[in-house]
């Protein structure tokens, strides 16, 4: 049986021109031996027919179609932490959220060397159900503080980039940047000065003082961002700063870009949709690292998205079990699940509230990650069918029962957002959003 998918009356978003192209799309579904394929784009497409042909038509009625998203920061949990997430549930969550590829943070804390971990990820990628995994490796051997990995060997094994969780000291980072700059390798950096974090549980400020909780100052991020920008300027290394959260961080990145430093960055939706005051509504499910900041930081991040200082929006997907998220903030591990919520919340907070247009938002999830990683999807004849369908007329109501991830740690449950992903296609496999609300 030959199976096809026909997307009728689509509006293809062309981010390069900020225009829509009204068109139909015909897709040949994937089989056990071959991937899906877009075989026709245009009007008056002749549909295949015959006794061994099946065509499924989705009447989109002018809904927006764009390529699948690329996530710049995701904890895939395997190998080592399958109790939080496995590759199968990861793939389902990514597909539901519109992501077709995930840049994984380095896996640490397990008894395996870096080459073995990269090989495991790539060999088991098929378990994601069509999601591409783009693994990054740590800068140092088993995340030690000063012994650098073999960058050539790990790049040859398939590492897209090299990452640091805030543990590398300045001499180690300088040497890593010097080596990586020689072959234009990408460093993806989580920026924190651990000496300033200590046992802090939330952002330092009036809210933490009011409730007598140990705070984490914004300077813990700002100092690390400043250091890494200066080192990148000195070495010419290409760096990407993950999940920025402070006004000073984005201002330093803005100035660095203007002066020619090879720096890009992303943020996650919690850093402009929530502030430190929200942690008392959502408690442990709003404990993240870096922590939720002040309203002024929220506003600064939105401005940085608008002016292009922030290149991408990542999912910052960090699954945690119920036992790892006790109600006591001091004991709860930081992190929230983000694959299913990232785009929809960004759509609500940024587009539906008038800060940016839909073309800019799509670019934050597609074009910019592609420019940084060299990987992305296209809507063109001959390409595999990695597509998202977006409605600005329907709403999304996130429900726990519809979360595909093993972990349910998110402050956005039972919350409505304007706009939605109505369908996602992962290598031609259709996922229908069960959280659509029609008012």
């Amino acid at each position: 049986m030959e199976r096809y998918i026909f997307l009728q009356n689509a509006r293809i978003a062309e981010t390069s021109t900020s225009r829509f192209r009204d068109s139909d799309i015909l897709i040949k579904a994937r089989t056990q031996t071959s991937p899906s394929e877009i075989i026709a784009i245009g009007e008056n497409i002749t549909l295949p027919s015959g006794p061994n042909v099946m065509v499924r038509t989705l009447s989109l009625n002018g809904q927006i179609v764009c390529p699948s998203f690329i996530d710049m920061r995701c904890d895939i949990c395997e190998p080592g932490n399958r109790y939080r997430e496995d590759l199968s549930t990861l793939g389902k969550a990514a597909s539901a959220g519109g992501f077709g590829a995930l840049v994984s943070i380095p896996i640490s804390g397990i008894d395996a060397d870096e080459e073995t971990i990269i090989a495991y990820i790539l060999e088991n990628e098929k378990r994601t159900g069509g999601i591409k995994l783009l693994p990054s490796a740590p800068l140092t051997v088993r995340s030690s503080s000063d012994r650098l990995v073999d960058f050539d060997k790990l790049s040859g094994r398939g590492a897209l980039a090299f990452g640091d969780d805030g543990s590398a000291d300045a001499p180690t980072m300088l040497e890593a940047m010097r080596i990586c700059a020689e072959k234009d390798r990408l460093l993806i950096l989580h920026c924190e000065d651990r000496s300033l974090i200590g046992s802090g549980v939330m952002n330092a400020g009036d809210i933490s003082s009011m409730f007598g909780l140990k705070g984490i100052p914004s300077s813990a991020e700002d100092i690390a961002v400043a250091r890494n920008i200066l080192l990148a300027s000195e070495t010419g290394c290409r760096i990407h700063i993950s999940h920025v959260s402070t006004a000073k961080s984005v201002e330093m990145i803005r100035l660095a870009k203007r002066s020619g430093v090879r720096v890009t960055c992303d943020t996650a939706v919690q850093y402009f949709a929530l502030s430190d005051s929200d942690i008392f509504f959502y408690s442990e499910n709003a404990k993240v690292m870096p922590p939720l900041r002040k309203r002024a930081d929220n506003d600064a991040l939105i401005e940085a998205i608008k002016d292009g200082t922030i290149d991408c929006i990542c999912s910052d997907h960090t699954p945690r079990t119920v036992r790892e998220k006790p109600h006591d903030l001091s004991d709860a591990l930081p992190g929230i699940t983000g694959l299913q919520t990232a785009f929809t919340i960004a759509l609500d907070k940024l587009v539906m509230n008038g800060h940016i247009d839909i073309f800019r938002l799509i670019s934050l999830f597609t074009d910019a990650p592609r420019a940084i990683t060299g990987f992305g999807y296209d809507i063109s004849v001959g390409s595999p069918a990695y597509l998202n369908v977006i409605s600005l007329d329907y709403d999304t109501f996130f429900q726990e029962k519809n979360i595909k991830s093993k972990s349910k740690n998110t402050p956005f449950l039972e919350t409505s957002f304007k706009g939605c992903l109505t369908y996602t296609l992962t290598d031609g496999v259709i996922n229908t959003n069960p959280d659509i609300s029609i008012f």
Side-chain angles (χ1 to χ4, degrees), residues 8-272:
Q8 188 176 45
N9 192 19
R11 299 182 75 201
I12 300 173
E14 297 183 336
T15 53
S16 61
T17 60
S18 295
R19 294 179 179 178
F20 292 113
R21 175 160 54 111
D22 294 334
S23 184
D24 300 330
I25 304 172
L26 181 62
I27 299 160
K28 187 173 183 179
R30 78 181 186 191
T31 66
Q32 292 182 345
T33 58
S34 61
S36 64
E37 182 182 359
I38 298 173
I39 60 175
I41 301 173
E43 299 177 350
N44 303 315
I45 295 174
T46 301
L47 298 183
S49 60
N52 294 318
V53 172
M54 177 180 293
V55 180
R56 178 177 177 183
T57 298
L58 298 180
S59 297
L60 301 187
N61 299 316
Q63 292 182 69
I64 298 164
V65 176
C66 71
S68 294
F69 309 137
I70 313 299
D71 188 13
M72 287 299 300
R73 183 179 180 83
C74 180
D75 185 354
I76 68 172
C77 295
E78 277 203 55
N81 297 308
R82 294 185 66 179
Y83 64 95
R84 293 174 178 162
E85 191 84 282
D86 60 49
L87 294 181
S88 175
T89 57
L90 177 83
K92 292 174 183 176
S95 179
F99 290 97
L102 312 173
V103 177
S104 67
I105 64 172
I107 303 291
S108 60
I110 64 172
D111 188 19
D113 60 47
E114 290 74 25
E115 288 182 72
T116 300
I117 292 171
I118 297 294
Y120 178 94
I121 292 171
L122 296 177
E123 288 168 4
N124 287 274
E125 181 184 74
K126 57 184 177 293
R127 289 172 39 217
T128 64
I131 304 299
K132 179 71 173 176
L133 299 181
L134 305 170
S136 57
L139 288 181
T140 55
V141 176
R142 299 197 185 183
S143 294
S144 67
S145 60
D146 57 4
R147 183 183 164 200
L148 294 176
V149 298
D150 188 326
F151 295 104
D152 285 337
K153 183 179 289 186
L154 289 173
S155 292
R157 295 289 190 270
L160 169 83
F162 296 88
D164 176 57
D165 61 1
S167 61
D169 59 21
T172 302
M173 184 63 73
L174 176 60
E175 183 62 19
M177 286 194 189
R178 282 175 175 161
I179 295 171
C180 289
E182 292 176 357
K183 296 185 178 179
D184 197 33
R185 295 199 174 104
L186 175 66
L187 298 190
I188 299 178
L189 305 175
H190 164 82
C191 292
E192 65 176 34
D193 184 326
R194 292 185 174 182
S195 67
L196 292 175
I197 292 176
S199 58
V201 299
M202 65 172 296
N203 184 60
D206 294 340
I207 304 297
S208 63
S209 298
M210 183 187 307
F211 288 89
L213 293 173
K214 180 71 183 299
I216 300 171
S218 295
S219 56
E221 177 178 320
D222 300 335
I223 288 171
V225 168
R227 182 200 75 173
N228 290 332
I229 286 174
L230 289 170
L231 296 180
S233 177
E234 179 178 331
T235 60
C237 186
R238 187 162 57 104
I239 64 171
H240 179 82
I241 298 175
S242 283
H243 54 192
V244 294
S245 69
T246 75
K248 287 183 179 178
S249 287
V250 293
E251 180 58 24
M252 287 187 285
I253 293 167
R254 182 180 289 115
L255 293 173
K257 286 186 171 188
R258 290 174 182 169
S259 64
V261 179
R262 302 178 71 198
V263 57
T264 55
C265 69
D266 64 58
T267 191
V269 294
Q270 61 264 25
Y271 297 117
F272 56 82

